[in-house]
Amino acid sequence: MFCGSGMKREDFQLLTKENYTPVMEFNRNYPSVSCEWSLSNLLLYGDTYQWHIAVQSGRLWIVSFLEEYIFYPKGEPIYPEELKTVLSELTRQYPGEWICGDVPADFQAGNDLVMTCDPGETDYIYDL
């Protein structure tokens, strides 16, 4: 289980054009400055990342088990301790180098999480 209160991989479903409603609802209610959350972007890269979605405790989680990547959740605020628990559980159950991406600039990570920035992730569109 992971995501704090008992969520399992089975609780996630592959994001497709048939089940995108939660993404649209959370994007409408919790706007983002990041293009990573746009439905067209998620569907476009769906074959590569095999995005899975789940809603729990008022949050939308998007995960790529294939790429060991989880989006910072949309919805109810998450505290650093909760996020650390999520990442710890993911790493325990699915060993690898898990990354939580698209973290808001104002998120206070606390002492237990390491925040890094990869400039290559921010300018790829401009390199075209």
Side-chain angles (χ1 to χ4, degrees):
M1 75 181 76
F2 59 91
C3 294
S5 58
M7 186 176 286
K8 299 178 182 128
R9 183 174 179 162
E10 299 82 48
D11 296 328
F12 284 82
Q13 57 182 309
L14 186 66
L15 176 63
T16 67
K17 61 184 179 181
E18 286 79 29
N19 69 347
Y20 65 84
T21 304
V23 175
M24 297 301 290
E25 289 175 2
F26 276 85
N27 279 342
R28 186 177 321 107
N29 294 324
Y30 301 94
S32 174
V33 296
S34 171
C35 67
E36 301 297 328
W37 274 92
S38 72
L39 181 62
S40 57
N41 186 64
L42 292 168
L43 291 175
L44 179 66
Y45 290 100
D47 288 344
T48 302
Y49 290 95
Q50 296 180 15
W51 296 121
H52 286 74
I53 61 171
V55 176
Q56 184 194 42
S57 302
R59 297 180 185 122
L60 173 64
W61 296 91
I62 299 180
V63 176
S64 172
F65 294 99
L66 179 69
E67 296 293 325
E68 301 168 345
Y69 187 93
I70 186 169
F71 277 89
Y72 180 90
K74 273 199 176 190
E76 294 297 315
I78 188 165
Y79 298 99
E81 300 80 29
E82 291 177 278
L83 189 56
K84 180 184 175 193
T85 299
V86 169
L87 294 171
S88 294
E89 282 296 313
L90 280 169
T91 303
R92 186 181 67 74
Q93 291 189 38
Y94 310 99
E97 300 277 330
W98 280 87
I99 294 173
C100 180
D102 216 37
V103 178
D106 61 350
F107 180 71
Q108 300 296 315
N111 296 328
D112 293 329
L113 295 172
V114 176
M115 303 283 284
T116 62
C117 180
D118 180 353
E121 292 291 317
T122 59
D123 63 357
Y124 66 95
I125 195 78
Y126 301 112
D127 287 345
L128 296 176

